[in-house]
Amino acid sequence: MTTSQADISREIRAGRDGEHEHQPRLDYPAYRSSILRHPAKAPQPVDPEGVELWAPSFGRSDVGDAEADLTIQHPGEPLGSRITVSGRVADGDGRAVAHQLVEIWQANAAGRYAHLRDQHPAPLDPNFTGQGRCLTDADGWYKFTTIQPGPYPWRNHRNAWRPAHIHFSLFGTDFTQRLVTQMYFPGDPLFPLDPIFQSVTDPKARESLIATYEHDLTSPEFSLGYRWDIVLTGSHRTPLDTEEPA
Ligand SMILES: [Fe+2]
């Protein structure tokens, strides 16, 4: 791993010369593994099979309320700053996407995932697994209680660090609405250095991946509030994520 952050930053700057794209570029050389992983051929339209037209579907009884609180999954309290993350899920016309599954996964406060592939020297938290889910309500709102995730190193290049983020997966009401993406936190100094964040080359689209601090969502004596809205389809669609699952 001899590539330096300066090399990657130069590549990120060079990548800005082209058109600004709302979705991440599939082939984004500064994000090394995207070169080998992206599809090499144009997608082929296929007719969905019957099962794909009505599945996956989740009944309200399939997802318990407690699953939206990542701080109560173990006997003790996890370490770190407690946060509330909430927002509205809408389609491209601004209509609420109601009663749909929202799943999240994230690193703990020390930047470590509870996952075999993450072996970097930061502590695991026995009281934090880092996975949760909920259904949006009738007006398209979701809400999670969790811990502020830490930034973590990855091996894209020497001294590569990911800005703190929470992974999101949404199914929407059909397969064309499936969205896997990441939410970031405002003011992170790692934004300009991160080739995954920068693989979305349109600055406005990148901004739409960053939550806003919202004091009305902050609970007294309990947690800081962040608001992050998600658009599943249309030209304002939240940019996808291209990160390999941890
Ligand atoms: Fe991650």
Side-chain angles (χ1 to χ4, degrees), residues 135-222:
L135 295 174
T136 55
D137 69 14
D139 298 316
W141 287 85
Y142 72 86
K143 192 175 196 177
F144 290 102
T145 302
T146 184
I147 292 292
Q148 166 83 38
Y152 59 82
W154 60 310
R155 294 181 174 169
N156 186 68
H157 53 281
R158 203 175 74 78
N159 211 9
W161 289 78
R162 296 290 339 276
H165 58 272
I166 297 177
H167 295 264
F168 273 72
S169 164
L170 294 100
F171 283 96
T173 50
D174 62 57
F175 269 92
T176 61
Q177 291 187 326
R178 180 82 206 275
L179 183 77
V180 179
T181 187
Q182 298 178 28
M183 184 208 95
Y184 298 86
F185 293 86
D188 196 312
L190 295 168
F191 286 151
L193 308 178
D194 179 42
I196 292 183
F197 183 67
Q198 296 294 336
S199 70
V200 178
T201 53
D202 180 81
K204 273 216 161 101
R206 274 203 303 278
E207 229 166 84
S208 72
L209 294 171
I210 305 171
T212 49
Y213 172 71
E214 194 161 295
H215 202 61
D216 287 343
L217 256 182
T218 290
S219 304
E221 316 293 321
F222 185 73

Coordinates of all heavy atoms in Angstrom, one line a residue, residues 135-222:
L135 N -39.9 0.4 10.7 CA -40.8 0.7 9.6 C -41.1 2.1 9.6 O -41.3 2.7 10.7 CB -42.1 -0.2 9.7 CG -41.9 -1.7 9.6 CD1 -43.3 -2.3 9.9 CD2 -41.4 -2.1 8.2
T136 N -41.2 2.8 8.4 CA -41.6 4.2 8.4 C -43.1 4.2 8.9 O -43.9 3.3 8.7 CB -41.5 4.8 7.0 OG1 -42.2 3.9 6.1 CG2 -40.0 4.8 6.6
D137 N -43.5 5.3 9.5 CA -44.9 5.5 9.9 C -45.8 5.9 8.7 O -45.3 6.0 7.6 CB -45.0 6.4 11.1 CG -44.7 7.9 10.8 OD1 -44.6 8.2 9.6 OD2 -44.5 8.7 11.7
A138 N -47.0 6.2 9.0 CA -48.0 6.6 7.9 C -47.5 7.8 7.1 O -47.9 8.0 6.0 CB -49.3 6.8 8.5
D139 N -46.7 8.7 7.7 CA -46.3 9.9 7.0 C -44.8 9.7 6.5 O -44.2 10.7 6.1 CB -46.3 11.1 8.0 CG -47.8 11.4 8.4 OD1 -48.7 11.3 7.5 OD2 -48.0 11.6 9.6
G140 N -44.3 8.5 6.5 CA -43.0 8.2 5.9 C -41.8 8.5 6.9 O -40.7 8.4 6.4
W141 N -42.1 8.7 8.2 CA -41.0 9.0 9.1 C -40.4 7.7 9.7 O -41.1 6.8 10.0 CB -41.5 9.9 10.2 CG -41.8 11.3 9.8 CD1 -42.9 11.7 9.2 CD2 -40.9 12.4 9.8 NE1 -42.8 13.1 8.9 CE2 -41.5 13.5 9.3 CE3 -39.5 12.5 10.3 CZ2 -40.9 14.7 9.2 CZ3 -39.0 13.8 10.2 CH2 -39.6 14.9 9.6
Y142 N -39.0 7.8 9.8 CA -38.3 6.7 10.6 C -37.6 7.4 11.8 O -37.4 8.6 11.7 CB -37.3 6.0 9.7 CG -36.1 6.9 9.4 CD1 -35.0 6.9 10.2 CD2 -36.1 7.7 8.2 CE1 -33.9 7.8 9.9 CE2 -35.0 8.5 7.9 CZ -33.9 8.5 8.8 OH -32.9 9.4 8.5
K143 N -37.2 6.6 12.7 CA -36.5 7.2 13.9 C -35.7 6.1 14.6 O -36.2 5.0 14.9 CB -37.5 7.8 14.9 CG -36.9 8.6 16.0 CD -38.0 9.2 16.8 CE -37.5 10.3 17.7 NZ -38.5 11.0 18.4
F144 N -34.4 6.4 14.8 CA -33.5 5.4 15.5 C -32.9 6.1 16.7 O -32.5 7.3 16.6 CB -32.4 4.9 14.6 CG -32.8 4.0 13.5 CD1 -33.0 4.5 12.2 CD2 -33.1 2.7 13.7 CE1 -33.4 3.6 11.1 CE2 -33.6 1.8 12.7 CZ -33.7 2.3 11.4
T145 N -32.6 5.3 17.7 CA -31.7 5.8 18.8 C -30.5 4.9 18.7 O -30.6 3.7 18.6 CB -32.4 5.5 20.2 OG1 -33.6 6.2 20.2 CG2 -31.5 6.0 21.3
T146 N -29.3 5.6 18.6 CA -28.1 4.8 18.5 C -26.9 5.6 19.1 O -27.2 6.5 20.0 CB -27.8 4.5 17.0 OG1 -26.7 3.7 16.9 CG2 -27.7 5.7 16.1
I147 N -25.7 5.2 18.8 CA -24.5 5.8 19.3 C -23.8 6.5 18.1 O -23.8 6.0 17.0 CB -23.6 4.8 19.9 CG1 -24.2 4.2 21.2 CG2 -22.2 5.3 20.2 CD1 -24.3 5.1 22.3
Q148 N -23.2 7.7 18.4 CA -22.4 8.4 17.3 C -21.3 7.4 16.9 O -20.4 7.1 17.7 CB -21.9 9.7 17.9 CG -20.8 10.3 17.1 CD -21.3 11.2 15.9 OE1 -22.3 11.9 16.1 NE2 -20.7 11.1 14.8
P149 N -21.3 7.0 15.6 CA -20.2 6.1 15.2 C -18.9 6.9 15.1 O -18.9 8.1 14.8 CB -20.6 5.6 13.8 CG -21.6 6.6 13.3 CD -22.2 7.3 14.5
G150 N -17.7 6.2 15.3 CA -16.4 6.8 15.1 C -16.0 6.6 13.6 O -16.4 5.7 12.9
P151 N -15.0 7.5 13.2 CA -14.4 7.2 11.9 C -13.5 6.0 12.0 O -13.1 5.6 13.1 CB -13.5 8.5 11.7 CG -13.4 9.1 13.0 CD -14.5 8.6 13.9
Y152 N -13.2 5.4 10.9 CA -12.3 4.2 11.0 C -11.4 4.1 9.8 O -11.7 4.6 8.7 CB -13.2 2.9 11.1 CG -14.1 2.6 10.0 CD1 -13.7 2.0 8.8 CD2 -15.5 2.9 10.1 CE1 -14.6 1.7 7.8 CE2 -16.4 2.7 9.1 CZ -15.9 2.1 7.9 OH -16.8 1.8 6.9
P153 N -10.2 3.4 10.0 CA -9.3 3.3 8.9 C -9.7 2.2 7.9 O -10.4 1.2 8.3 CB -8.0 2.9 9.6 CG -8.4 2.2 10.8 CD -9.7 2.8 11.2
W154 N -9.4 2.3 6.6 CA -9.7 1.3 5.7 C -8.4 1.3 4.8 O -7.6 2.1 4.8 CB -11.0 1.4 4.9 CG -11.1 2.7 4.1 CD1 -10.9 4.0 4.6 CD2 -11.5 2.8 2.8 NE1 -11.1 4.9 3.6 CE2 -11.5 4.2 2.5 CE3 -11.9 1.9 1.8 CZ2 -11.9 4.7 1.2 CZ3 -12.2 2.4 0.5 CH2 -12.2 3.7 0.2
R155 N -8.3 0.2 3.9 CA -7.1 0.0 3.3 C -7.1 0.4 1.8 O -6.4 -0.2 1.0 CB -6.6 -1.4 3.4 CG -6.3 -1.7 4.9 CD -5.9 -3.1 5.1 NE -5.5 -3.2 6.5 CZ -5.2 -4.3 7.1 NH1 -5.3 -5.5 6.4 NH2 -4.9 -4.4 8.4
N156 N -7.8 1.5 1.5 CA -7.8 1.9 0.1 C -6.4 2.5 -0.3 O -6.0 2.3 -1.4 CB -8.9 3.0 -0.1 CG -9.1 3.5 -1.5 OD1 -9.6 2.8 -2.3 ND2 -8.6 4.7 -1.8
H157 N -5.8 3.2 0.6 CA -4.4 3.7 0.4 C -3.8 3.9 1.8 O -4.5 3.7 2.8 CB -4.5 5.0 -0.3 CG -5.4 6.1 0.3 ND1 -6.8 6.0 0.1 CD2 -5.2 7.1 1.1 CE1 -7.4 7.0 0.7 NE2 -6.4 7.7 1.3
R158 N -2.6 4.4 1.9 CA -2.0 4.5 3.2 C -2.6 5.6 4.0 O -2.9 6.7 3.4 CB -0.5 4.8 3.0 CG 0.4 4.5 4.2 CD 1.8 4.7 3.9 NE 2.2 6.2 3.9 CZ 2.3 6.9 5.0 NH1 2.2 6.3 6.2 NH2 2.6 8.2 4.9
N159 N -3.0 5.4 5.2 CA -3.6 6.4 6.1 C -5.0 6.8 5.6 O -5.4 8.0 5.7 CB -2.7 7.6 6.2 CG -2.8 8.2 7.6 OD1 -3.5 7.7 8.5 ND2 -2.2 9.4 7.7
A160 N -5.7 5.8 5.0 CA -7.1 6.1 4.6 C -8.1 6.0 5.7 O -8.1 5.0 6.4 CB -7.5 5.2 3.4
W161 N -8.9 7.0 5.9 CA -9.9 7.0 7.0 C -11.3 7.3 6.5 O -11.4 8.3 5.7 CB -9.6 8.0 8.1 CG -8.4 7.5 8.9 CD1 -7.1 7.6 8.6 CD2 -8.4 6.9 10.2 NE1 -6.3 7.1 9.6 CE2 -7.1 6.7 10.6 CE3 -9.4 6.6 11.1 CZ2 -6.7 6.1 11.8 CZ3 -9.1 6.0 12.4 CH2 -7.7 5.8 12.7
R162 N -12.3 6.5 6.8 CA -13.7 6.9 6.4 C -14.2 7.9 7.4 O -14.1 7.8 8.6 CB -14.6 5.6 6.5 CG -14.3 4.5 5.6 CD -14.6 4.7 4.1 NE -15.5 5.8 3.7 CZ -16.8 5.7 3.6 NH1 -17.4 4.6 3.9 NH2 -17.5 6.7 3.2
P163 N -14.9 8.9 6.8 CA -15.7 9.8 7.7 C -16.8 9.0 8.5 O -17.2 8.0 7.9 CB -16.4 10.8 6.7 CG -15.9 10.5 5.4 CD -15.1 9.2 5.4
A164 N -17.1 9.4 9.6 CA -18.2 8.7 10.4 C -19.4 8.6 9.6 O -19.8 9.6 8.9 CB -18.4 9.4 11.7
H165 N -20.1 7.5 9.6 CA -21.3 7.3 8.8 C -22.1 6.2 9.3 O -21.7 5.3 10.0 CB -20.9 7.0 7.3 CG -20.1 5.8 7.2 ND1 -18.7 5.8 7.2 CD2 -20.4 4.4 7.0 CE1 -18.2 4.6 7.1 NE2 -19.2 3.7 7.0
I166 N -23.4 6.2 8.9 CA -24.3 5.1 9.2 C -24.8 4.6 7.9 O -25.2 5.3 7.0 CB -25.5 5.6 10.0 CG1 -25.0 6.1 11.4 CG2 -26.5 4.5 10.2 CD1 -26.1 6.6 12.3
H167 N -24.7 3.2 7.7 CA -25.3 2.6 6.5 C -26.8 2.5 6.6 O -27.3 2.1 7.6 CB -24.6 1.2 6.3 CG -23.2 1.2 6.1 ND1 -22.6 1.2 4.8 CD2 -22.1 1.3 6.9 CE1 -21.3 1.2 4.9 NE2 -21.0 1.3 6.2
F168 N -27.4 2.7 5.5 CA -28.9 2.6 5.4 C -29.3 1.7 4.2 O -28.7 1.8 3.1 CB -29.6 4.0 5.1 CG -29.9 4.8 6.3 CD1 -28.8 5.4 7.0 CD2 -31.2 5.0 6.8 CE1 -29.1 6.2 8.2 CE2 -31.5 5.8 7.9 CZ -30.4 6.4 8.6
S169 N -30.3 0.9 4.4 CA -30.9 0.1 3.4 C -32.4 0.3 3.4 O -33.0 0.2 4.5 CB -30.6 -1.4 3.5 OG -31.5 -2.2 2.7
L170 N -33.0 0.6 2.2 CA -34.4 0.8 2.2 C -35.0 0.0 1.0 O -34.3 0.0 -0.1 CB -34.8 2.3 1.9 CG -34.5 3.2 3.1 CD1 -33.2 3.9 2.8 CD2 -35.6 4.2 3.4
F171 N -36.1 -0.7 1.2 CA -36.7 -1.5 0.1 C -37.7 -0.6 -0.7 O -37.8 -0.8 -1.8 CB -37.3 -2.7 0.7 CG -36.4 -3.8 1.0 CD1 -35.9 -3.9 2.3 CD2 -35.9 -4.6 0.1 CE1 -35.0 -4.9 2.7 CE2 -35.0 -5.6 0.4 CZ -34.5 -5.8 1.7
G172 N -38.4 0.3 0.0 CA -39.4 1.0 -0.7 C -40.5 0.1 -1.1 O -40.7 -1.0 -0.5
T173 N -41.4 0.5 -2.0 CA -42.6 -0.3 -2.3 C -42.3 -1.3 -3.5 O -43.2 -2.1 -3.8 CB -43.8 0.6 -2.6 OG1 -43.4 1.6 -3.6 CG2 -44.2 1.3 -1.3
D174 N -41.2 -1.1 -4.2 CA -40.9 -2.1 -5.2 C -39.4 -2.1 -5.5 O -38.7 -1.3 -4.9 CB -41.7 -1.8 -6.5 CG -41.3 -0.5 -7.1 OD1 -40.1 -0.2 -7.4 OD2 -42.2 0.4 -7.3
F175 N -39.0 -3.1 -6.3 CA -37.5 -3.3 -6.4 C -36.8 -2.1 -7.0 O -35.6 -1.9 -6.8 CB -37.2 -4.6 -7.2 CG -37.1 -5.8 -6.3 CD1 -38.2 -6.6 -6.0 CD2 -35.9 -6.1 -5.7 CE1 -38.1 -7.6 -5.2 CE2 -35.8 -7.2 -4.9 CZ -36.9 -8.0 -4.6
T176 N -37.5 -1.3 -7.9 CA -36.8 -0.2 -8.5 C -36.5 0.9 -7.5 O -35.8 1.8 -7.7 CB -37.7 0.4 -9.6 OG1 -38.9 0.9 -9.0 CG2 -37.9 -0.6 -10.7
Q177 N -37.1 0.8 -6.3 CA -36.9 1.8 -5.2 C -35.8 1.4 -4.2 O -35.4 2.1 -3.4 CB -38.2 2.1 -4.4 CG -39.2 2.8 -5.3 CD -40.4 3.2 -4.4 OE1 -40.8 2.5 -3.5 NE2 -41.0 4.3 -4.8
R178 N -35.3 0.2 -4.4 CA -34.2 -0.3 -3.4 C -33.1 0.6 -3.4 O -32.5 1.0 -4.4 CB -33.8 -1.7 -3.8 CG -32.7 -2.3 -2.9 CD -33.3 -2.9 -1.7 NE -32.5 -3.0 -0.5 CZ -31.6 -3.9 -0.3 NH1 -31.4 -4.9 -1.1 NH2 -30.8 -3.9 0.8
L179 N -32.7 1.0 -2.2 CA -31.6 2.0 -2.0 C -30.7 1.6 -0.8 O -31.2 1.3 0.3 CB -32.3 3.4 -1.7 CG -31.3 4.5 -1.5 CD1 -30.8 5.0 -2.9 CD2 -31.9 5.7 -0.8
V180 N -29.4 1.5 -1.1 CA -28.5 1.2 -0.1 C -27.5 2.4 -0.1 O -26.9 2.7 -1.1 CB -27.7 -0.1 -0.3 CG1 -26.6 -0.3 0.8 CG2 -28.6 -1.3 -0.3
T181 N -27.4 3.1 1.0 CA -26.6 4.3 1.0 C -26.0 4.6 2.4 O -26.0 3.7 3.3 CB -27.5 5.5 0.5 OG1 -26.7 6.7 0.3 CG2 -28.6 5.8 1.5
Q182 N -25.3 5.7 2.5 CA -24.7 6.1 3.8 C -25.1 7.5 4.2 O -25.2 8.4 3.3 CB -23.2 6.0 3.7 CG -22.7 4.6 3.4 CD -21.2 4.6 3.2 OE1 -20.4 5.4 3.8 NE2 -20.7 3.7 2.4
M183 N -25.3 7.7 5.5 CA -25.6 9.0 6.0 C -24.3 9.5 6.8 O -23.7 8.7 7.5 CB -26.7 8.9 7.0 CG -27.2 10.2 7.6 SD -27.9 10.0 9.3 CE -26.5 10.4 10.3
Y184 N -24.0 10.7 6.6 CA -22.8 11.3 7.2 C -23.2 12.4 8.2 O -24.4 12.8 8.2 CB -21.9 11.9 6.1 CG -21.3 10.9 5.1 CD1 -22.1 10.5 4.0 CD2 -20.1 10.3 5.4 CE1 -21.6 9.6 3.1 CE2 -19.6 9.3 4.4 CZ -20.3 9.0 3.3 OH -19.8 8.1 2.4
F185 N -22.2 12.9 9.0 CA -22.5 13.9 10.0 C -21.9 15.2 9.6 O -20.8 15.2 9.0 CB -21.9 13.4 11.3 CG -22.6 12.2 11.9 CD1 -22.2 10.9 11.5 CD2 -23.7 12.3 12.7 CE1 -22.9 9.8 12.0 CE2 -24.4 11.2 13.2 CZ -24.0 10.0 12.8
P186 N -22.5 16.3 9.9 CA -22.1 17.6 9.5 C -20.7 18.0 9.9 O -20.3 17.6 11.1 CB -23.1 18.6 10.0 CG -23.9 17.9 11.1 CD -23.7 16.4 10.8
G187 N -19.9 18.7 9.1 CA -18.7 19.2 9.4 C -17.5 18.3 9.6 O -16.5 18.6 10.2
D188 N -17.6 17.1 9.0 CA -16.6 16.1 9.1 C -15.3 16.5 8.3 O -15.4 16.7 7.1 CB -17.1 14.7 8.7 CG -16.2 13.6 9.2 OD1 -15.0 13.7 9.0 OD2 -16.7 12.6 9.7
P189 N -14.1 16.6 9.0 CA -12.9 17.0 8.3 C -12.4 16.0 7.3 O -11.6 16.3 6.5 CB -11.9 17.2 9.4 CG -12.4 16.3 10.5 CD -13.9 16.3 10.4
L190 N -13.0 14.8 7.3 CA -12.5 13.7 6.4 C -13.2 13.8 5.0 O -12.9 13.1 4.1 CB -12.7 12.4 7.0 CG -11.8 12.1 8.2 CD1 -12.2 10.8 9.0 CD2 -10.3 12.0 7.9
F191 N -14.3 14.6 4.9 CA -15.1 14.6 3.6 C -14.2 14.8 2.4 O -14.3 14.1 1.4 CB -16.1 15.7 3.6 CG -17.3 15.4 4.5 CD1 -18.0 16.5 5.1 CD2 -17.7 14.1 4.7 CE1 -19.1 16.2 5.9 CE2 -18.9 13.8 5.5 CZ -19.6 14.9 6.1
P192 N -13.3 15.8 2.4 CA -12.6 16.1 1.1 C -11.6 15.0 0.8 O -11.1 14.8 -0.4 CB -11.8 17.4 1.4 CG -12.0 17.7 2.8 CD -13.1 16.9 3.4
L193 N -11.2 14.1 1.8 CA -10.2 13.1 1.6 C -10.8 11.8 1.2 O -10.0 10.8 0.9 CB -9.4 12.9 2.9 CG -8.8 14.2 3.5 CD1 -8.1 13.9 4.8 CD2 -7.8 14.9 2.6
D194 N -12.1 11.6 1.3 CA -12.7 10.3 1.2 C -13.2 10.0 -0.2 O -14.2 10.6 -0.7 CB -13.9 10.2 2.2 CG -14.6 8.8 2.1 OD1 -13.9 7.8 2.1 OD2 -15.8 8.8 2.2
P195 N -12.6 9.0 -0.9 CA -13.0 8.7 -2.3 C -14.4 8.1 -2.4 O -15.0 8.2 -3.4 CB -11.9 7.8 -2.8 CG -11.2 7.3 -1.6 CD -11.4 8.2 -0.5
I196 N -14.9 7.5 -1.3 CA -16.3 7.0 -1.4 C -17.3 8.2 -1.4 O -18.1 8.3 -2.3 CB -16.6 6.0 -0.3 CG1 -15.7 4.7 -0.5 CG2 -18.1 5.7 -0.3 CD1 -16.0 3.6 0.5
F197 N -17.1 9.1 -0.5 CA -17.9 10.3 -0.4 C -17.8 11.1 -1.7 O -18.8 11.5 -2.3 CB -17.6 11.1 0.8 CG -18.4 12.3 1.0 CD1 -19.8 12.2 1.3 CD2 -17.9 13.6 0.9 CE1 -20.6 13.3 1.5 CE2 -18.7 14.7 1.1 CZ -20.0 14.6 1.4
Q198 N -16.5 11.2 -2.2 CA -16.3 12.0 -3.4 C -16.6 11.4 -4.7 O -16.6 12.0 -5.7 CB -14.8 12.5 -3.4 CG -14.4 13.3 -2.2 CD -15.0 14.7 -2.2 OE1 -15.5 15.2 -3.3 NE2 -15.1 15.3 -1.1
S199 N -17.0 10.1 -4.6 CA -17.4 9.4 -5.9 C -18.7 9.9 -6.4 O -19.1 9.6 -7.5 CB -17.4 7.9 -5.7 OG -18.4 7.4 -4.9
V200 N -19.5 10.6 -5.5 CA -20.6 11.4 -5.9 C -20.1 12.7 -6.3 O -19.7 13.5 -5.5 CB -21.7 11.5 -4.8 CG1 -22.8 12.3 -5.2 CG2 -22.1 10.1 -4.3
T201 N -20.0 13.0 -7.6 CA -19.3 14.2 -8.1 C -20.1 15.5 -8.1 O -19.5 16.5 -8.2 CB -18.7 13.9 -9.5 OG1 -19.7 13.5 -10.3 CG2 -17.6 12.8 -9.4
D202 N -21.4 15.4 -7.9 CA -22.2 16.6 -7.8 C -22.3 17.1 -6.4 O -22.7 16.3 -5.5 CB -23.7 16.2 -8.3 CG -24.6 17.5 -8.2 OD1 -24.5 18.3 -9.2 OD2 -25.3 17.6 -7.2
P203 N -21.8 18.3 -6.1 CA -21.7 18.8 -4.8 C -23.0 18.8 -4.0 O -23.1 18.5 -2.8 CB -21.2 20.2 -4.9 CG -20.7 20.4 -6.3 CD -21.4 19.3 -7.1
K204 N -24.1 19.2 -4.7 CA -25.4 19.2 -4.1 C -25.9 17.8 -3.6 O -26.5 17.6 -2.6 CB -26.5 19.8 -5.0 CG -26.6 21.3 -4.9 CD -28.1 21.7 -5.1 CE -28.3 23.1 -4.6 NZ -28.3 24.1 -5.6
A205 N -25.6 16.8 -4.5 CA -25.9 15.4 -4.2 C -25.1 14.9 -3.0 O -25.6 14.3 -2.1 CB -25.7 14.5 -5.4
R206 N -23.9 15.3 -3.0 CA -23.0 14.9 -1.8 C -23.6 15.5 -0.5 O -23.7 14.9 0.5 CB -21.6 15.5 -2.0 CG -20.7 14.6 -2.8 CD -19.2 14.8 -2.4 NE -18.8 16.2 -2.6 CZ -18.4 16.7 -3.8 NH1 -18.5 16.0 -4.9 NH2 -18.0 18.0 -3.9
E207 N -24.0 16.8 -0.6 CA -24.6 17.4 0.6 C -25.9 16.7 1.1 O -26.1 16.6 2.3 CB -25.0 18.9 0.2 CG -24.5 19.9 1.1 CD -24.7 21.3 0.5 OE1 -25.8 21.8 0.6 OE2 -23.7 21.8 -0.1
S208 N -26.6 16.1 0.1 CA -27.8 15.4 0.5 C -27.5 14.1 1.3 O -28.4 13.5 1.9 CB -28.7 15.1 -0.7 OG -28.1 14.0 -1.5
L209 N -26.3 13.7 1.4 CA -25.9 12.6 2.2 C -25.5 13.0 3.6 O -25.3 12.1 4.5 CB -24.7 11.9 1.6 CG -24.9 11.2 0.2 CD1 -23.6 10.8 -0.4 CD2 -25.9 10.1 0.3
I210 N -25.5 14.3 3.9 CA -25.1 14.7 5.2 C -26.3 15.1 6.1 O -27.2 15.9 5.6 CB -24.2 15.9 5.1 CG1 -23.0 15.6 4.2 CG2 -23.7 16.4 6.5 CD1 -22.1 16.8 3.8
A211 N -26.4 14.5 7.2 CA -27.6 14.9 8.1 C -27.4 16.3 8.6 O -26.3 16.9 8.6 CB -27.6 13.9 9.3
T212 N -28.4 16.9 9.1 CA -28.3 18.2 9.8 C -28.6 18.0 11.3 O -29.5 17.2 11.7 CB -29.3 19.2 9.2 OG1 -30.6 18.6 9.2 CG2 -28.9 19.6 7.8
Y213 N -27.9 18.8 12.1 CA -28.1 18.8 13.5 C -29.5 19.5 13.7 O -29.7 20.6 13.2 CB -27.0 19.5 14.3 CG -27.4 19.6 15.7 CD1 -27.5 18.5 16.6 CD2 -27.8 20.9 16.3 CE1 -27.9 18.6 17.9 CE2 -28.3 21.0 17.6 CZ -28.3 19.9 18.4 OH -28.8 20.0 19.7
E214 N -30.4 18.9 14.5 CA -31.7 19.5 14.7 C -32.0 19.5 16.2 O -32.2 18.4 16.8 CB -32.8 18.8 13.9 CG -34.0 19.6 13.9 CD -34.9 19.1 12.7 OE1 -34.5 19.2 11.6 OE2 -36.0 18.6 13.0
H215 N -32.0 20.7 16.8 CA -32.1 20.8 18.2 C -33.5 20.3 18.7 O -33.6 19.8 19.8 CB -31.8 22.2 18.7 CG -31.4 22.3 20.1 ND1 -30.3 21.6 20.6 CD2 -32.0 22.8 21.2 CE1 -30.2 21.8 21.9 NE2 -31.3 22.5 22.3
D216 N -34.5 20.5 17.8 CA -35.8 20.0 18.3 C -35.9 18.4 18.4 O -36.8 17.9 19.0 CB -36.9 20.4 17.3 CG -37.2 21.9 17.4 OD1 -36.8 22.5 18.5 OD2 -37.8 22.5 16.5
L217 N -34.9 17.8 17.7 CA -34.9 16.3 17.8 C -34.0 15.9 19.0 O -34.0 14.7 19.4 CB -34.2 15.8 16.5 CG -35.1 15.1 15.5 CD1 -34.2 14.6 14.4 CD2 -35.9 13.9 16.1
T218 N -33.2 16.8 19.5 CA -32.4 16.5 20.7 C -33.2 16.3 21.9 O -34.2 17.1 22.1 CB -31.4 17.7 20.9 OG1 -30.4 17.6 19.8 CG2 -30.6 17.6 22.2
S219 N -33.0 15.2 22.6 CA -33.8 15.0 23.9 C -33.0 15.5 25.1 O -31.8 15.1 25.3 CB -34.0 13.5 24.0 OG -34.6 13.0 22.9
P220 N -33.6 16.3 25.9 CA -33.0 16.8 27.1 C -32.4 15.7 28.0 O -33.0 14.6 28.2 CB -34.1 17.5 27.9 CG -35.1 17.8 26.9 CD -35.0 16.7 25.8
E221 N -31.2 15.8 28.4 CA -30.5 14.8 29.2 C -30.3 13.5 28.6 O -30.0 12.5 29.3 CB -31.2 14.6 30.6 CG -31.7 15.9 31.3 CD -30.6 16.8 31.7 OE1 -29.6 16.2 32.2 OE2 -30.7 18.0 31.6
F222 N -30.5 13.3 27.3 CA -30.5 12.0 26.7 C -29.7 11.9 25.4 O -28.8 11.0 25.4 CB -32.0 11.6 26.4 CG -32.1 10.1 26.0 CD1 -31.9 9.1 26.8 CD2 -32.4 9.9 24.6 CE1 -32.0 7.8 26.4 CE2 -32.5 8.5 24.2 CZ -32.3 7.5 25.1

